[in-house]
Amino acid sequence: MTYYDMHSHILPEMDDGSKSIEMSLELIDKLKAQNVRNICFTPHYYTNEESMETFLRRREESLQKLLPHLPDDINICVGAEVYVTDYLFNNKDISPVCYGDSEYILCEFPFGATFQNKTLDYFNTLRNNYGLKPVLTHIERYKHLMSDEELVEDLVDDGVIIQTNIEAFKRFSQKRKLLKYIKRGYIDIVGTDCHSLTRGNPDDYTAVIDLIRNKCGDEFVDHIVKTSAEVFTQYKR
């Protein structure tokens, strides 16, 4: 079985992730060693700091630098980790920052977000006004979601796709809670969130998938792979 990295900062010189083409290729090689053949490039898009036009131009420039060097056996999807603020909704069309040509958009919020009122309004606007499907990035970083299972269940019932980072399973308290959430069916996709060879290093990807398989069952790994395939839109090189 080949796997998906649904959250990475591999595009060179784009954000606080990879600083060079060489580093990007090292990270990709590490993912290949973990049997990951489908990689989403999701650089930070801070909607309160940069226009969408500027972000998209920078992303395209970075992508074009990397494309000639990509291994032939790697599939890529180009998207963004979108920091959702009111400024995002000044754009008539938000689809260019979704995962590829899909309707799924990877959303980031302040780590102290309570996922009440304002945040829920953002989710509703994305769904109802733009026809998009929100994907919540790295659930483990939101303390309100890690301490309130009912709140997570409400988000899932509202159709929010939830992503977790591989690295979170290194921390015992988070690992227990995340495995519980996986068994409840709350977590849909995983990512490395790799920024460098030390931050979000992909080396533990297979070990975490094996942990999920052993603790939760094959069906939960199958769900993660199936949902990733639904979200992933392959970039045509």
Side-chain angles (χ1 to χ4, degrees), residues 186-200:
Y186 299 155
I187 292 177
D188 305 290
I189 58 178
V190 300
T192 61
D193 196 8
C194 59
H195 285 66
S196 68
L197 300 175
T198 56
R199 183 181 173 191

Side-chain angles (χ1 to χ4, degrees), residues 93-111:
D93 183 11
I94 299 177
S95 62
V97 293
C98 290
Y99 281 103
D101 295 327
S102 78
E103 299 172 335
Y104 296 93
I105 181 169
L106 185 64
C107 301
E108 182 182 24
F109 299 95
F111 295 162

Side-chain angles (χ1 to χ4, degrees), residues 169-185:
F169 290 83
K170 295 180 181 179
R171 295 179 281 275
F172 181 72
S173 59
Q174 287 189 338
K175 178 175 72 173
R176 291 183 62 187
K177 180 59 70 72
L178 290 171
L179 288 171
K180 179 180 178 181
Y181 280 3
I182 288 171
K183 290 179 181 178
R184 294 279 196 273

Side-chain angles (χ1 to χ4, degrees), residues 155-167:
L155 292 178
V156 172
D157 288 345
D158 284 341
V160 176
I161 302 296
I162 295 183
Q163 179 255 321
T164 186
N165 287 349
I166 293 295
E167 193 171 46

